[in-house]
């Protein structure tokens, strides 16, 4: 376990971050396969092979997100994470910690509720997944991106650099 905070994220942490981000954006921007499967199941009780295949892609991406997040949390314990730059106001550091915790919680809750709906047939979990959690995830992801941009261009810190090139 890391005893002092590193100055940058490790290469595995950075790779897992960007793989997770890519899969999250894929599932947020292209949920059509799962939506078509869901509509068909509700209307007719069955889905075509193409609808099942498209829904499976969405589900497999969600499962991959869950695995990557578990690995990221493990690496946080092993490698540690850089401390917030001192230029950031204390209140915003607290907000960043809350947003980060919320983001991790959502990155676990979204796949779990999605799997509960898709594989176990819990319709309430699907509603929570596709309506409530998805909207919250969009807001938190937007705040995360805006925070990184504020660090880069307003406070001129190395926050963005330590998650890109180290």
């Amino acid at each position: 376990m890391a005893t002092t905070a590193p100055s940058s994220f490790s290469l595995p942490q950075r790779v897992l971050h960007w793989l997770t981000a890519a899969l999250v954006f894929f599932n947020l921007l292209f949920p059509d396969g799962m939506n078509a499967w869901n509509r068909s199941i509700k209307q007719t009780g069955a889905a075509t092979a193409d609808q099942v295949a498209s829904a499976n892609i969405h589900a497999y991406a969600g499962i991959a997100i869950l695995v990557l997040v578990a690995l990221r949390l493990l690496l946080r314990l092993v490698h540690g994470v850089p401390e917030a730059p001192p230029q950031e106001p204390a209140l915003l550091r607290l907000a960043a910690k809350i947003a980060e915790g919320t983001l991790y919680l959502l990155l676990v809750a979204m796949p779990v509720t999605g799997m509960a709906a898709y594989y176990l047939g819990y319709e309430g979990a699907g509603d929570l997944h596709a309506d409530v959690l998805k909207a919250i995830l969009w807001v938190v992801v937007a705040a995360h991106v805006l925070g990184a941009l504020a660090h880069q261009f307003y406070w001129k810190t190395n926050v963005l650099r330590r998650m890109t090139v180290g």
Side-chain angles (χ1 to χ4, degrees):
M1 291 218 198
T3 55
T4 60
S7 61
S8 176
F9 289 95
S10 69
L11 179 60
Q13 286 173 308
R14 295 191 314 265
V15 169
L16 290 174
H17 173 272
W18 292 108
L19 284 174
T20 303
L23 288 170
V24 166
F25 279 114
F26 175 80
N27 267 4
L28 284 173
L29 295 172
F30 303 108
D32 298 341
M34 188 59 77
N35 292 341
W37 173 87
N38 191 36
R39 272 192 308 277
S40 185
I41 292 296
K42 285 182 177 179
Q43 291 172 355
T44 67
T48 67
D50 285 345
Q51 289 170 329
V52 171
S54 293
N56 281 340
I57 291 169
H58 183 86
Y60 297 156
I63 292 167
I65 290 167
L66 187 59
V67 170
L68 292 174
V69 168
L71 291 171
R72 288 182 65 187
L73 290 170
L74 180 64
L75 284 176
R76 285 177 73 86
L77 290 173
V78 173
H79 292 283
V81 295
E83 292 188 22
Q87 298 94 318
E88 185 178 18
L91 184 61
L92 291 180
R93 274 185 286 206
L94 176 62
K97 284 200 177 291
I98 292 169
E100 182 180 57
T102 303
L103 187 54
Y104 274 109
L105 182 65
L106 288 166
L107 292 178
V108 170
M110 286 292 289
V112 169
T113 56
M115 288 186 296
Y118 188 57
Y119 294 114
L120 303 175
Y122 294 137
E123 193 172 325
D127 294 340
L128 179 65
H129 172 84
D131 298 331
V132 178
L133 295 179
K134 181 180 176 181
I136 296 169
L137 182 60
W138 270 115
V139 170
V140 174
V141 165
H144 181 68
V145 170
L146 290 173
L149 293 174
H151 274 282
Q152 180 68 27
F153 298 110
Y154 182 74
W155 288 302
K156 301 193 184 325
T157 65
N158 69 342
V159 167
L160 195 56
R161 179 178 178 80
R162 63 190 190 182
M163 188 47 89
T164 52
V165 295

